[in-house]
Amino acid sequence: MATLTEKPPLEGADVAQKSSTNTTGSDVEKTGGHTPPGDSHPAYLNPAVMDDWYEGKPTEEELATLRRVPGNVPIIAYLICIVEFCERASYYGVQPLISNYVNRSLPRGGNGWGAPPNTPGDQQTGGALGLGTVVANAVTQSFSMLAYALPLFFGWLADAKWGRFKVICWGVGVFGVAHVLMVAAGSKNLLANGTAKAPYFLSVYILAFGAAMFKPNISPLLLDQVTNTVPTVITLANGERVIQDPESTTERVMLWFYLLINVGGFMGVATAYSEKYVGWWLAFLIPLILYLPLPLLLWFLYKRLILHPPGGSDLPNVFRILGICFRRGGIRMIGRHGFWENAKPSNIRAAGLEGVYKTRWNDQFVDDVRRTFQATGIFCFFPIQYINDNGIGAAASFLSTMLESNGVPNDVISNINPLSIIIFAPILNYGLYPALRKAGIHYGPIARITTGLLMSSCAGAGYAILNHYAYEQSPCGEYGSSDCQIGSGVAPITIWYMVLPYAIGGISELFVNVPAYGIAYSRAPVNMRGLVSAINLFNTAIAYIIGLACSSVITDPHLTWDFGGPAIAGGILAVVFYFTFRHIDKEEYVLQTGGASKDAQVDMAGTRNIVGENETNKSTNRPAPIADNEEMMISQKQ
């Protein structure tokens, strides 16, 4: 077990070229520039171990013929999954409520705690501040943007300065402060006299910071606990010889991890009903109660965890390389031959610019960055998928306020999204995909992603059609989401019609996210997994930035086109995506049918044969051991 005493951090790959700009990656690794004393890389990322003999090492024939099974998962890993459940449950218990709290006023005839009157036929939703749809959208989008943009900083802080566990603990502490302030914002007196704004807005943005500390560090910490790191031939009790496979072990752990993320997302159901029938105080108290086990769990886990000390981060050097490429080549060189060559130490030295540009990396590191951006180019198409999946900004929430709920909280309907993922993941994994393979039909990752992009566009179109009829039949016409007080205040259309676009959007994630990250992690160099995560986070943040920038038009009477515009754009971009990247399907097919080599095989779990090195992600460079397990963010819900 790695020591818990944290060593002085090193500055990423800065040590890589102290003596010579021609230092090779293997020389860097020999110097231990990235590896603090007493720490080490797992065996599956150490070619010296994987190429050498060890007891139980499978032969080429055994690798090609024996069934692969997961190894034993340590109890400590399941406890970390429970930690993730508590954090996600407390987060998603709050997040869906933001729109109603900010948008709607206290209901007429309500109980004063924010709940509408419990009388037959009353269609009001919970409310508090009454600031309208524009402000509500701005708050929800800025909250989510911070939760997805700030992990870039806090991931670097963990790798380079503090270590993962310390950042997680600080994040949990910040979370606690946010939840206490939020419970205070549900006070009847504060709601009545209009002074609930200050504690509520403070709590929302403090919560975003806490989530950003927690988000990038928990799944790598989980994978650090998996000690089965080399494929080993074992004999089962029934006499069958199998390969105990680290890839399968990781797959099992991550499936539990993402299952509990989605189960935690269902806490929004409990808080939505509390908001509707009791009031904000209970809706905010439930997430606080779900949060309370976190400090105790972390205290219990501390001395039982495998923890890597901070060893530096390569992200600063990636930004330095980009800066040099832009300064020397300009924006016009992007995508052209020679763009990345400008940052190679050998090129800088040949140009006589050593005094202008200080290089802290080798030529191979620049190639690693180039390969990573090429491998993650597919992520550029994902903001439109995420916008169509959930509706741009908070538009779907505003649509739900225009429909007949008949006692169902309007913000509970969004939970159909994670429910569809839980239901359809095993159907795809154990039904559709095996059936296609059995029939000899190659349904590659690019084809899957294209399917998902088209499905999300269909979801966006579904929102647009439903909103069109809501406007048409609302007593307030095209201003139906603006706290309509004419008649029942809603269109005579049941809110359950929203199940369809929410479900289609959720299922589209299964077709998009898993194969996309499989491609990225199997093709990007193994030392660049932190950069893969950073690029993914950045693209998710872009979707929220777009939603924030459009706040002034995500309101009546524009909601129909707020859904329809992205749906049309998504359909066009899905076609562009397919013809841009379809060559990858052919390459993946060759890899999967090339005899014993099964590198980069992507299945529903998203981790098979991509955790360790393969023919397409090899590199002579290595990050610090703390950054080895940064396969994260397979779902935006993490």
Side-chain angles (χ1 to χ4, degrees):
M1 181 177 293
T3 177
L4 303 182
T5 304
E6 295 179 348
K7 317 296 192 296
L10 305 174
E11 179 58 28
D14 290 356
V15 186
Q17 278 222 311
K18 282 192 173 179
S19 58
S20 170
T21 54
N22 288 321
T23 304
T24 65
S26 58
D27 291 335
V28 172
E29 187 63 13
K30 288 175 184 176
T31 68
H34 268 315
T35 305
D39 204 4
S40 62
H41 294 280
Y44 63 80
L45 288 177
N46 189 340
V49 174
M50 297 299 288
D51 294 340
D52 200 4
W53 181 89
Y54 58 85
E55 186 175 355
K57 182 177 181 178
T59 64
E60 290 297 321
E61 181 182 357
E62 289 169 333
L63 285 170
T65 59
L66 294 185
R67 185 167 63 92
R68 296 171 185 256
V69 299
N72 293 326
V73 177
I75 296 297
I76 207 77
Y78 290 113
L79 291 177
I80 294 176
C81 289
I82 294 174
V83 169
E84 172 72 357
F85 164 77
C86 291
E87 189 273 340
R88 289 290 85 183
S90 65
Y91 176 90
Y92 278 108
V94 166
Q95 188 257 356
L97 309 182
I98 297 174
S99 180
N100 276 358
Y101 189 95
V102 177
N103 177 24
R104 295 287 182 157
S105 303
L106 285 171
R108 300 177 302 279
N111 63 2
W113 296 98
N118 189 16
T119 56
D122 189 278
Q123 302 292 335
Q124 293 184 84
T125 64
L129 302 183
L131 298 179
T133 55
V134 173
V135 175
N137 185 79
V139 173
T140 59
Q141 297 304 290
S142 59
F143 167 77
S144 296
M145 181 194 68
L146 290 173
Y148 282 92
L150 290 176
L152 298 179
F153 170 74
F154 290 115
W156 167 82
L157 184 67
D159 285 352
K161 305 293 182 182
W162 286 9
R164 298 200 190 285
F165 191 77
K166 185 175 181 179
V167 176
I168 288 172
C169 289
W170 273 99
V172 168
V174 169
F175 242 81
V177 172
H179 282 303
V180 171
L181 284 171
M182 197 164 286
V183 171
S187 163
K188 192 172 185 177
N189 290 335
L190 294 183
L191 291 170
N193 60 30
T195 55
K197 293 187 185 72
Y200 185 73
F201 287 136
L202 278 174
S203 69
V204 164
Y205 292 112
I206 290 173
L207 186 69
F209 273 80
M213 292 178 176
F214 193 92
K215 189 186 292 289
N217 294 304
I218 190 66
S219 61
L221 179 67
L222 169 65
L223 292 177
D224 287 341
Q225 313 312 306
V226 179
T227 56
N228 173 35
T229 59
V230 291
T232 306
V233 177
I234 62 172
T235 303
L236 300 179
N238 62 3
E240 181 188 3
R241 296 177 73 246
V242 297
I243 296 176
Q244 193 176 68
D245 182 31
E247 302 277 357
S248 299
T249 307
T250 299
E251 174 185 316
R252 170 173 288 183
V253 171
M254 295 310 288
L255 284 175
W256 275 103
F257 185 73
Y258 288 110
L259 173 64
L260 288 176
I261 287 175
N262 283 287
V263 173
F266 274 106
M267 290 304 108
V269 175
T271 56
Y273 271 94
S274 299
E275 164 209 340
K276 175 81 171 179
Y277 289 102
V278 179
W280 295 110
W281 70 270
L282 181 60
F284 295 150
L285 181 62
I286 291 174
L288 175 59
I289 293 172
L290 291 167
Y291 157 84
L292 289 177
L294 279 172
L296 294 175
L297 279 169
L298 293 176
W299 172 80
F300 175 80
L301 288 171
Y302 175 60
K303 292 187 178 180
R304 296 167 174 83
L305 290 171
I306 297 173
L307 296 178
H308 292 289
S313 171
D314 282 329
L315 283 179
N317 284 334
V318 171
F319 286 113
R320 292 178 186 124
I321 287 171
L322 288 171
I324 292 174
C325 290
F326 282 120
R327 284 197 295 271
R328 294 194 65 194
I331 295 177
R332 289 178 296 178
M333 282 291 292
I334 294 177
R336 297 184 180 181
H337 179 72
F339 176 76
W340 296 102
E341 298 296 315
N342 289 319
K344 288 186 174 181
S346 59
N347 185 291
I348 291 173
R349 186 175 61 255
L353 298 174
E354 291 173 289
V356 179
Y357 302 113
K358 181 181 179 182
T359 58
R360 308 175 181 184
W361 50 84
N362 52 31
D363 285 1
Q364 175 65 53
F365 187 83
V366 178
D367 283 332
D368 291 343
V369 175
R370 173 185 57 80
R371 289 164 58 198
T372 302
F373 275 95
Q374 290 174 343
T376 56
I378 54 178
F379 289 172
C380 296
F381 288 80
F382 290 0
I384 191 66
Q385 184 270 337
Y386 194 66
I387 288 171
N388 282 320
D389 180 358
N390 299 279
I392 186 171
S397 175
F398 303 153
L399 167 59
S400 70
T401 65
M402 290 193 284
L403 306 177
E404 281 187 346
S405 60
N406 294 322
V408 177
N410 70 300
D411 38 17
V412 81
I413 205 74
S414 62
N415 288 277
I416 295 297
N417 186 283
L419 178 62
S420 66
I421 293 173
I422 293 173
I423 292 174
F424 276 88
I427 293 175
L428 296 179
N429 202 23
Y430 300 110
L432 176 63
Y433 294 154
L436 292 175
R437 286 194 291 267
K438 188 175 181 179
I441 299 173
H442 177 57
Y443 189 33
I446 296 303
R448 297 185 197 182
I449 295 170
T450 303
T451 302
L453 292 174
L454 290 172
M455 288 181 68
S456 67
S457 295
C458 290
Y463 288 123
I465 293 169
L466 189 55
N467 197 91
H468 167 75
Y469 283 106
Y471 273 169
E472 193 174 74
Q473 300 181 35
S474 170
C476 292
E478 293 186 340
Y479 293 87
S481 72
S482 303
D483 199 14
C484 179
Q485 298 185 21
I486 301 175
S488 65
V490 298
I493 302 172
T494 177
I495 196 173
W496 291 107
Y497 278 119
M498 291 191 71
V499 166
L500 191 59
Y502 268 123
I504 293 173
I507 297 168
S508 76
E509 290 185 30
L510 294 172
F511 285 95
V512 170
N513 292 340
V514 175
Y517 303 134
I519 290 171
Y521 285 126
S522 65
R523 288 169 172 260
V526 291
N527 59 310
M528 289 284 121
R529 287 175 173 173
L531 180 57
V532 172
S533 297
I535 294 172
N536 172 40
L537 285 167
F538 177 72
N539 278 280
T540 306
I542 284 178
Y544 290 116
I545 292 171
I546 293 171
L548 178 61
C550 295
S551 291
S552 62
V553 295
I554 302 178
T555 187
D556 293 330
H558 310 297
L559 290 181
T560 299
W561 277 107
D562 288 338
F563 294 119
I568 295 170
I572 295 171
L573 288 174
V575 176
V576 173
F577 172 86
Y578 179 76
F579 284 102
T580 303
F581 295 105
R582 60 179 175 171
H583 65 278
I584 293 178
D585 270 351
K586 297 177 182 178
E587 295 169 10
E588 295 290 322
Y589 184 70
V590 171
L591 284 169
Q592 292 182 39
T593 57
S597 176
K598 294 288 186 179
D599 291 335
Q601 178 178 333
V602 181
D603 63 14
M604 262 302 302
T607 55
R608 184 172 176 79
N609 296 326
I610 63 170
V611 175
E613 278 195 338
N614 61 54
E615 293 300 323
T616 56
N617 70 8
K618 285 183 177 179
S619 174
T620 55
N621 290 309
R622 282 291 181 272
I626 193 174
D628 282 334
N629 284 319
E630 291 189 339
E631 302 96 331
M632 58 166 290
M633 298 306 298
I634 292 179
S635 167
Q636 291 98 333
K637 293 179 177 60
Q638 180 178 331

